[in-house]
Amino acid sequence: MDPDVHSRKILVTGGAGFIGSHACVALIGAGYLPVVLDSLANGNIHALHRIADITGVAPDLVRCDIRDAAALAELFKAHRFGGVLHLAGLKAVGETVADPLSYYEVNMAGTLALVRAMGNAGVRALVFSSSATVYGANARSPIPEDAPYAAVNPYGRTKAMVETMLADLVQSDDRWHVACLRFFNPVGAHESGLIGEHPHGRPNNLMPYLSQVAIGSRSHLVVHGTDYATADGTGVRDYVHVMDVAEGHVAALRHVAREPGILMVNLGTGRGASVLEVISSFERASGRSIAVHVGPRRPGDAPAYWADASLAEARLGWRARRGLDEMCVDSWRWQMRNPWGFDGSAPTARNAEPSAH
């Protein structure tokens, strides 16, 4: 085998999930060979088939739990990886409060098992998918990377704890090359409409909820608060296209291939969009009117929240290229072509989705 194949072979944990599947497409487009590790508890094997349809390359799937140390050891014996993108974990905010121990076990213990297996195999280039939730709700926007940790739920705290663990690891062993990507609100879908986001049950985030209202599977959207100190009174967030996030992972992988140490970096557009702006853009994209009900503010919601994305451009050579209208067009194309997700089945009655990301 060409020795360069080993440096191009990348392990993608959670690669059958929303962000993971798009990351695989971006990796293949950049000349890498992704191998997906996913339990499929929340990922979808059909996403891997769609990746093959898009790219002409079918990623290998290793179906196992990220916490399974023996399976990880066998995986690293079977493959020589040039690096790892770690996206596997639980992420539903509602569930994280109800069942925090599962989040600590999967997100913390799973990462620990992975890093131990990597170290034992001599693979020390890691890109960790973190989250802007590490900043909490009170950070002033635009939020720089040196803003303090202030997560308000167990999910965000697990992300902050993993970052701290990785920083301690790098401090103790300078052979490690690590990047932690704090992405803001990933939305959209691949332009082909073949892969995208399909949460089980009631969506937790604005864009998939909008999509389901537009397609007719939900009657209306509730806007939580119209009296914030923003231009139109609704909350402002930094929405970033999922393919920009995926390409950010590729840029970070290139960074860790050449730079030792640890880098904490935001992935966002550096601009905020209000709820009403997103609704208006989605109505243009879909050609459909969105029924809106106004509800009260939700506890803990910040009025405005967006990234200082300058460090990503300076250190990774990355910047978000796709705007809000493109996010909405791509989301709608995915929703229209896949009204019930990958397998054609209707959404379940679950209230939240702990998904790979």
Side-chain angles (χ1 to χ4, degrees):
M1 181 181 288
D2 181 348
D4 185 53
V5 169
H6 299 305
S7 64
R8 293 189 293 116
K9 185 181 285 189
I10 304 299
L11 177 62
V12 183
T13 73
F18 173 46
I19 298 176
S21 59
H22 289 81
C24 287
V25 169
L27 284 168
I28 293 167
Y32 293 97
L33 302 172
V35 174
V36 170
L37 182 152
D38 204 302
S39 69
L40 299 183
N42 300 290
N44 195 305
I45 195 169
H46 296 294
L48 303 184
H49 301 157
R50 302 283 185 89
I51 291 168
D53 292 339
I54 294 167
T55 66
V57 176
D60 290 338
L61 171 66
V62 178
R63 186 171 181 176
C64 77
D65 192 294
I66 192 67
R67 296 165 291 179
D68 188 337
L72 289 173
E74 289 301 314
L75 173 62
F76 280 94
K77 286 180 183 177
H79 299 272
R80 288 175 55 193
F81 294 112
V84 176
L85 301 189
H86 179 32
L87 300 103
L90 302 180
K91 66 177 281 286
V93 172
E95 186 178 76
T96 186
V97 176
D99 185 16
L101 293 185
S102 291
Y103 277 70
Y104 286 105
E105 182 180 9
V106 174
N107 295 358
M108 286 290 298
T111 304
L112 179 58
L114 173 67
V115 171
R116 285 196 183 280
M118 289 177 64
N120 290 338
V123 179
R124 296 183 177 87
L126 173 65
V127 177
F128 170 58
S129 283
S130 188
S131 169
T133 57
V134 300
Y135 297 121
N138 297 318
R140 291 187 176 182
S141 296
I143 304 171
E145 286 81 2
D146 60 2
Y149 288 135
V152 297
N153 58 56
Y155 165 68
R157 284 189 282 273
T158 64
K159 291 293 188 181
M161 288 178 181
V162 169
E163 286 190 4
T164 301
M165 179 177 71
L166 294 175
D168 287 342
L169 174 64
V170 170
Q171 180 67 29
S172 71
D173 185 344
D174 61 10
R175 294 175 297 175
W176 282 89
H177 300 221
V178 177
C180 297
L181 305 183
R182 298 168 175 170
F183 45 81
F184 277 63
N185 295 69
V187 298
H190 189 266
E191 64 182 2
S192 66
L194 290 174
I195 57 174
E197 183 177 18
H198 184 70
H200 298 292
R202 183 186 180 91
N204 291 310
N205 300 317
L206 175 60
M207 192 69 77
Y209 209 112
L210 267 175
S211 298
Q212 292 186 14
V213 172
I215 202 71
S217 59
R218 298 192 181 275
S219 62
H220 64 275
L221 172 75
V222 177
V223 176
H224 295 283
T226 57
D227 58 349
Y228 287 108
T230 60
D232 61 24
T234 63
V236 171
R237 298 291 181 270
D238 191 336
Y239 298 96
V240 56
H241 197 292
V242 65
M243 281 306 301
D244 280 325
V245 173
E247 290 163 4
H249 282 74
V250 175
L253 182 65
R254 289 173 171 152
H255 172 86
V256 299
R258 64 179 185 268
E259 295 285 344
I262 188 166
L263 175 67
M264 313 289 191
V265 64
N266 291 334
L267 295 187
T269 64
R271 299 179 300 277
S274 74
V275 174
L276 293 185
E277 287 175 322
V278 176
I279 292 171
S280 178
S281 178
F282 201 92
E283 288 181 330
R284 292 193 299 272
S286 64
R288 301 191 179 187
S289 179
I290 303 296
V292 171
H293 293 182
V294 174
R297 296 186 185 189
R298 292 180 298 192
D301 273 358
Y305 200 84
W306 68 90
D308 178 343
S310 58
L311 186 63
E313 186 165 9
R315 296 295 303 275
L316 304 181
W318 174 92
R319 60 191 294 267
R321 299 187 295 110
R322 300 162 178 88
L324 179 61
D325 287 346
E326 190 170 353
M327 298 176 209
C328 292
V329 167
D330 290 342
S331 291
W332 179 239
R333 183 185 299 111
W334 155 255
Q335 183 69 60
M336 282 288 289
R337 295 183 180 180
N338 306 271
W340 305 121
F342 288 107
D343 57 5
S345 61
T348 69
R350 290 168 54 189
N351 290 324
E353 179 190 30
S355 65
H357 77 218

